[in-house]
Amino acid sequence: MASQTSESATEGGRDQPAGPAFGTPESFAVVASSAPEALAEITSVVCVPTFKRPDMLEATLRSLAGQKGGHDFAVIVVENEGVERAGAIRASALLANGLFKGLVIVEPRQGNCKAYNAAWRCALTRFPALEHLLGIDDDEEAEPGWLDAFVTAAGTAPAELFGGSVTAVFADTSRAWLSAHPVFRSHYGTSGPVPMLYSSANYLIRRSVLDRLGFPFLDESFDFTGGGDTDFFTRAKAAGFRFWWVQEAAQRETMPARRSEFAWINARGLRNGSISAAIERRQKPGAAGRLRVMAKSLALLAASIPRGLALGFQTRSGLIGLYHAQVAIGRLMSEFGVANEQYRKPEKN
């Protein structure tokens, strides 16, 4: 990983953190932008990756435009589809009409981690006063108090990385009971310090984290399996950064009908297991480390029976009760090189 080369730099009379060294040319193109002077004093930047969902993207951007609390912020929309660019076209029109200020960029290299890397690099290089980055996906909408809750917490909490709650909203309302499933639940439910974050669906990250960890921020080998965010948070924890949960920084996530089907839920459970084992193997390299990861996977498979029964009784759902077994099986499958690339075709995710 690249690292920062000096403690500070001067730009426009302002002392700036040096930030990470970028050893490669930018892979993205800026296709629309507010005037530089409108962005010069912005401290909070919201990053919105998008892929072939212009209507949902517009709903996301309108939810950002409806934020309360009086905070000045900007938005970076990163289009990750480089041909039709429907999201970039829609976002550029909304930017021109004054719905938000910021930039619209296109990262033509498809991949979840590539999109985040482009957005975060763009923020670090276009916003001289940047203090923290926030994120929301193009299938989510922020509650009116979302930004205020995060910014308030960042002003007082002894942490560098913050996560917020995401509530699943099922298009098929008859499947709303699935909100009790671990793949649809937030990891925490109470504001305060937490051991680690696992998802980039709803976050605030201080600039200092990116300056320290260096570019590329997310490992692009996770582009199509997912897990680049968990790997990033794992490295942040190893570097000594602290985590905080902000329950009031709430978002709603639209769940299309396909995400309530067994095939999708099963694939997500297997994927989660594969990701967890892959990250653990990175932390425990070598033959001995791999044996320890394998032993843990086998132990989790054995434990999945009582744990699954308990979860099934608790939620009154046999389908939900399968989750622990799916994770354990996914971990074991990854030992043989089987990875569930659920993001290979994002429009079907």
Side-chain angles (χ1 to χ4, degrees):
M1 301 292 289
S3 61
Q4 66 186 72
T5 56
S6 63
E7 291 186 359
S8 65
T10 300
E11 181 175 339
R14 179 195 301 272
D15 288 335
Q16 294 298 322
F22 299 110
T24 57
E26 290 180 346
S27 58
F28 60 88
V30 177
V31 297
S33 176
S34 300
E37 56 269 23
L39 309 180
E41 301 299 324
I42 295 293
T43 59
S44 301
V45 175
V46 181
C47 299
V48 188
T50 188
F51 187 92
K52 292 187 175 182
R53 294 195 283 213
D55 292 340
M56 298 178 78
L57 171 63
E58 180 169 344
T60 300
L61 293 173
R62 291 194 179 280
S63 77
L64 295 177
Q67 291 301 295
K68 301 185 183 301
H71 301 286
D72 195 14
F73 68 99
V75 177
I76 295 176
V77 175
V78 52
E79 168 68 85
N80 198 211
E81 193 281 306
V83 180
E84 296 179 356
R85 301 185 175 189
I89 292 170
R90 182 73 62 89
S92 297
L94 295 170
L95 176 68
N97 289 333
L99 182 70
F100 68 96
K101 62 182 174 181
L103 299 99
V104 180
I105 67 176
V106 176
E107 169 52 86
R109 303 174 306 138
Q110 185 183 333
N112 179 274
C113 296
K114 290 182 176 68
Y116 277 104
N117 283 336
W120 292 357
R121 179 173 180 172
C122 181
L124 285 169
T125 54
R126 267 70 173 189
F127 293 86
L130 181 70
E131 293 182 3
H132 30 68
L133 286 163
L134 301 96
I136 184 171
D137 291 339
D138 65 350
D139 57 354
E140 297 172 338
E141 296 178 42
E143 298 291 356
W146 171 75
L147 180 68
D148 183 62
F150 262 146
V151 173
T152 299
T156 58
E160 293 77 35
L161 300 102
F162 300 77
S165 59
V166 179
T167 299
V169 179
F170 290 87
D172 181 355
T173 55
S174 69
R175 306 285 282 175
W177 54 271
L178 280 169
S179 60
H181 197 294
V183 303
F184 299 118
R185 292 201 318 259
S186 294
H187 285 91
Y188 308 105
T190 304
S191 296
V194 293
M196 201 179 89
L197 301 177
Y198 299 91
S199 171
S200 60
N202 186 10
Y203 66 84
L204 181 149
I205 300 173
R206 296 193 194 277
R207 175 182 183 144
S208 58
V209 178
L210 302 187
D211 289 342
R212 170 84 175 276
L213 294 186
F215 182 82
F217 311 109
L218 271 63
D219 186 334
E220 294 175 2
S221 67
F222 289 98
D223 266 336
F224 300 114
T225 60
D229 46 5
T230 304
D231 174 69
F232 172 80
F233 292 134
T234 300
R235 288 184 281 114
K237 181 176 182 178
F241 290 113
R242 299 160 296 179
F243 300 82
W244 199 271
W245 189 255
V246 187
Q247 183 67 15
E248 300 78 16
Q251 296 177 359
R252 305 180 305 279
E253 181 178 7
T254 300
M255 295 296 170
R258 64 180 174 276
R259 291 194 182 185
S260 62
E261 296 171 356
F262 174 79
W264 188 92
I265 295 171
N266 181 62
R268 181 53 61 101
L270 295 173
R271 187 209 72 148
N272 288 355
S274 175
I275 289 170
S276 66
I279 292 174
E280 286 176 21
R281 285 194 294 271
R282 289 182 170 216
Q283 295 175 295
K284 301 178 177 68
R290 184 152 192 167
L291 285 173
R292 287 197 294 271
V293 175
M294 173 73 83
K296 180 177 177 179
S297 298
L298 291 170
L300 287 173
L301 181 62
S304 70
I305 297 175
R307 294 179 72 196
L309 288 172
L311 181 61
F313 279 120
Q314 177 187 347
T315 60
R316 299 183 181 180
S317 168
L319 186 153
I320 297 176
L322 290 173
Y323 177 69
H324 294 300
Q326 291 162 338
V327 169
I329 292 169
R331 289 177 61 97
L332 291 169
M333 290 172 63
S334 75
E335 296 290 344
F336 301 96
V338 179
N340 191 310
E341 294 190 330
Q342 210 169 21
Y343 292 148
R344 178 65 67 174
K345 296 181 179 179
E347 68 275 15
K348 294 184 178 181
N349 181 45

